[in-house]
Amino acid sequence: MRAEVHVDSSAGLAGALRAHAALLRRGGPAVHVAVVDRPTVSYGVAVPETAPYLERARAEGIPTAPRSSGGTGILHGEGDLVWAVVLPRSDPRVGRDFVHAYGRLGAGVTEVVRQQARSAAWVPAPGLSDEYCPLGPRGFVLESQGRILAAAAQHLSVGALLHHGTLSVRVDRERLGRVFSATDPSALERLGSLDELGGNEPSGRLASALAVALDAALGPSA
């Protein structure tokens, strides 16, 4: 069964995350990609509302949005992409290795970055920050030319798997430094974006390309 594909060219992050949760409840194969319309900090299901970086974000006037998946905080900038893949739990494309299958489930993201920046691969997260998820100690991140451009997290329900993440089109290190603290002062230099690597596609066009790539990488179920 092919996935149903949804693209939103301009979305509030909270609305996009609600769409991901709705697709997870429905449980059928799906791909969703949205362009973030304003800077927003998302945070994982185990993060308390009183986390210092959430308080700093609110003091900056940055809205916050909870994720149903794990991990800590992420600053999504205007024009960045958020994406999701949903598969029924019984679907062979989930596989027994899904917890570690970031490269396989996120192959469409890898393809889009390679088209813009030539090289990209999912690698273990660097463990440089306890607050900022892409710099954290757990999971995998998408790296290109030594810079981290994407990260992902998962939510496994009784009936389906949600594998979703973010792709940075632009990066605001000054704002990141005000909201999140890193254990290594140079950690923010590990973060990158498509525009810094020479990408010049508009976010809306990238969103459509990413949806096509995610769907193609999944392929039909066996």
Side-chain angles (χ1 to χ4, degrees):
M1 180 187 300
R2 299 297 310 203
E4 57 177 283
V5 178
H6 306 269
V7 179
D8 192 335
S9 60
S10 181
L13 181 64
L17 294 175
R18 286 194 296 270
H20 295 181
L23 291 170
L24 179 63
R25 289 193 298 271
R26 289 171 59 181
V31 167
H32 185 281
V33 181
V35 180
V36 177
D37 67 351
R38 72 195 70 180
T40 307
V41 171
S42 73
Y43 56 99
V45 66
V47 174
E49 288 283 336
T50 55
Y53 58 85
L54 295 181
E55 294 182 345
R56 290 193 290 267
R58 293 171 189 136
E60 287 257 332
I62 302 171
T64 61
R67 302 190 306 271
S68 66
S69 54
T72 52
I74 301 177
L75 175 62
H76 308 261
E78 182 180 353
D80 285 352
L81 307 184
V82 289
W83 52 272
V85 169
V86 174
L87 291 170
R89 194 164 181 170
S90 59
D91 193 303
R93 292 172 291 184
V94 172
R96 295 182 179 180
D97 66 337
F98 69 88
V99 173
H100 304 288
Y102 284 66
R104 177 167 58 80
L105 295 171
V109 188
T110 309
E111 176 61 24
V112 166
V113 173
R114 283 176 177 164
Q115 291 172 4
Q116 300 289 310
R118 298 186 182 178
S119 66
W122 288 91
V123 299
L128 297 174
S129 173
D130 293 328
E131 293 189 345
Y132 198 59
C133 202
L135 295 174
R138 295 185 298 274
F140 292 77
V141 293
L142 186 70
E143 192 173 81
S144 178
Q145 300 180 29
R147 297 287 180 89
I148 295 167
L149 273 71
Q154 297 180 340
H155 178 180
L156 183 67
S157 72
V158 172
L161 171 70
L162 167 65
H163 184 89
H164 67 170
T166 185
L167 173 60
S168 178
V169 177
R170 301 173 189 84
V171 61
D172 185 342
R173 294 185 188 86
E174 183 177 341
R175 177 173 279 173
L176 278 164
R178 293 196 301 268
V179 175
F180 294 93
S181 63
T183 56
D184 182 340
S186 65
L188 294 179
E189 294 304 316
R190 289 290 306 277
L191 300 173
S193 62
L194 286 177
D195 67 344
E196 287 187 341
L197 295 178
N200 55 13
E201 289 286 335
S203 293
R205 192 174 299 171
L206 283 170
S208 297
L210 179 54
V212 170
L214 287 167
D215 182 42
L218 283 177
S221 62

